[in-house]
């Protein structure tokens, strides 16, 4: 049986749309859905529980995504197993496409859906930023930034061995080699972007902070086991985009400005080794 684990911290405004999509056009026998409400002070548990017996709700007092994922594993019943963020939308057919891809290829341990980022309602600098971000090779090929990752039982063992990191989806993506992971474009997930520049920067500061933590983890692992893979974007990636499409220049300038602002904003957290403060973008949850 396919199991879906959804960690949810104060996601009462959005988790209903995800569960509606997962339950639509799916048989009564599955998939197995576990929502782990971690440290919630809103109505997340009530909204999730209102979707009936096919959704099992587990409540824990600790507001921790990592803890919620591990608790979800304790309650999940089968494989392949999907880990799904509560603020994205993925449907039952997309879950079947991911499960089918994992079943069809014995070398494949992890898969994620293609990503749709609707720009409606977003400020123009936000739209410009994502025009560039979505074209970056690491972003196109990696499993991170999608809010959904599906793993086989063997793949689960790989990610279960990872330490708790803010950049959990990046770490999970890079835990698999190119032949072991795949973006399944036939499956789609809707990831709503921030609507305002300030919310985008909040999200990017969090990403810069979590990337710094992840790079420290990588450096330690590299010292023990050789070179580690990377998903960092460099100037060469941006130059390649401009060579392919010179009209992207204004968007590349916006992207660079956002990256610089994020690095500046993350300095204090990195200096203080604060890798637990989660700067959340609320505008995408409206």
């Amino acid at each position: 049986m396919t199991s879906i684990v959804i960690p949810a911290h104060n996601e009462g405004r959005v988790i209903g749309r995800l569960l509606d999509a997962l339950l639509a056009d799916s048989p009564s026998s599955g998939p197995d859905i576990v929502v782990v409400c971690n440290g919630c002070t809103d109505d997340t548990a009530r909204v999730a529980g209102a979707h009936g017996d096919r959704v099992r709700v587990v409540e824990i007092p600790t507001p921790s995504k990592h803890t919620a994922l591990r608790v979800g594993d304790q309650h999940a019943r089968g494989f392949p197993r999907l880990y799904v963020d509560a603020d994205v939308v993925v449907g039952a057919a997309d879950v079947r496409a991911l499960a089918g891809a994992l079943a069809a290829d014995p070398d494949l341990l992890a898969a994620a859906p293609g990503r749709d980022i609707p720009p409606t309602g977003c400020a123009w600098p936000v739209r410009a930023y994502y025009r560039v971000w979505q074209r970056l090779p690491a972003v196109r090929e990696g499993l991170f930034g999608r809010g959904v990752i599906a793993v086989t039982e063997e793949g689960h063992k790989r990610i279960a061995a990872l330490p708790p990191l803010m950049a959990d989806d990046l770490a999970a993506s890079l835990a698999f080699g190119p032949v072991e992971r795949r973006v399944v474009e036939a499956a789609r997930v809707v990831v709503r972007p921030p609507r305002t520049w300030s919310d985008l920067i909040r999200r990017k500061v969090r990403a810069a902070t979590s990337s710094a933590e992840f790079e420290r983890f990588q450096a330690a692992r590299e010292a023990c086991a050789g070179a580690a893979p990377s998903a960092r974007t460099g100037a060469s990636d941006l130059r390649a985009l401009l060579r392919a499409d010179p009209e992207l220049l204004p968007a590349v300038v916006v992207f660079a400005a956002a990256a610089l602002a994020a690095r500046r904003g993350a300095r204090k957290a990195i200096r203080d080794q604060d890798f637990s403060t989660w700067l959340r973008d609320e505008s995408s949850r409206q």
Side-chain angles (χ1 to χ4, degrees), residues 136-149:
L136 296 171
V139 173
R140 293 199 315 268
E141 298 164 9
L143 306 185
F144 59 88
R146 302 171 190 275
V148 179
I149 184 170

Side-chain angles (χ1 to χ4, degrees), residues 107-231:
D107 293 326
L108 197 61
L109 302 182
R115 181 197 297 111
D116 295 325
I117 302 180
T120 305
C122 296
W124 77 262
V126 175
R127 298 197 302 270
Y129 176 91
Y130 281 103
R131 281 187 68 198
V132 173
W133 187 78
Q134 291 188 88
R135 287 171 166 83
L136 296 171
V139 173
R140 293 199 315 268
E141 298 164 9
L143 306 185
F144 59 88
R146 302 171 190 275
V148 179
I149 184 170
V151 294
T152 64
E153 188 167 6
E154 187 62 32
H156 172 261
K157 293 176 184 177
R158 185 86 57 88
I159 63 173
L162 293 171
L165 296 165
M166 280 182 73
D168 58 321
D169 58 344
L170 176 59
S173 178
L174 294 180
F176 302 100
V179 300
E180 296 175 322
R181 68 174 188 259
R182 181 183 304 162
V183 175
V184 180
E185 294 292 345
R188 309 301 298 177
V189 60
V190 176
V191 181
R192 285 177 168 79
R195 295 187 175 187
T196 67
W197 177 256
S198 60
D199 278 308
L200 173 67
I201 297 305
R202 283 174 61 83
R203 187 181 286 196
K204 293 298 114 180
V205 168
R206 185 186 76 209
T209 304
S210 61
S211 292
E213 180 194 26
F214 178 69
E215 286 170 359
R216 293 186 182 190
F217 162 70
Q218 277 191 308
R221 185 173 62 176
E222 182 178 353
C224 298
S230 174

Side-chain angles (χ1 to χ4, degrees), residues 27-182:
S28 58
S29 58
D32 167 44
I33 302 173
V34 180
V35 176
V36 183
C37 301
N38 57 103
C40 290
T41 57
D42 70 348
D43 61 348
T44 301
R46 182 189 62 77
V47 173
H51 284 76
D53 294 340
R54 293 179 58 190
V55 177
R56 291 183 289 136
V57 178
V58 180
E59 295 186 71
I60 62 174
T62 308
S64 164
K65 182 178 180 181
H66 183 265
T67 301
L69 291 171
R70 299 291 77 83
V71 170
D73 277 336
Q74 294 169 11
H75 289 266
R77 292 170 176 160
F79 289 95
R81 186 162 301 168
L82 280 74
Y83 299 98
V84 181
D85 290 349
D87 61 333
V88 304
V89 177
V90 64
D94 306 298
V95 170
R96 291 193 292 270
L98 291 170
L102 291 173
D105 186 346
D107 293 326
L108 197 61
L109 302 182
R115 181 197 297 111
D116 295 325
I117 302 180
T120 305
C122 296
W124 77 262
V126 175
R127 298 197 302 270
Y129 176 91
Y130 281 103
R131 281 187 68 198
V132 173
W133 187 78
Q134 291 188 88
R135 287 171 166 83
L136 296 171
V139 173
R140 293 199 315 268
E141 298 164 9
L143 306 185
F144 59 88
R146 302 171 190 275
V148 179
I149 184 170
V151 294
T152 64
E153 188 167 6
E154 187 62 32
H156 172 261
K157 293 176 184 177
R158 185 86 57 88
I159 63 173
L162 293 171
L165 296 165
M166 280 182 73
D168 58 321
D169 58 344
L170 176 59
S173 178
L174 294 180
F176 302 100
V179 300
E180 296 175 322
R181 68 174 188 259
R182 181 183 304 162

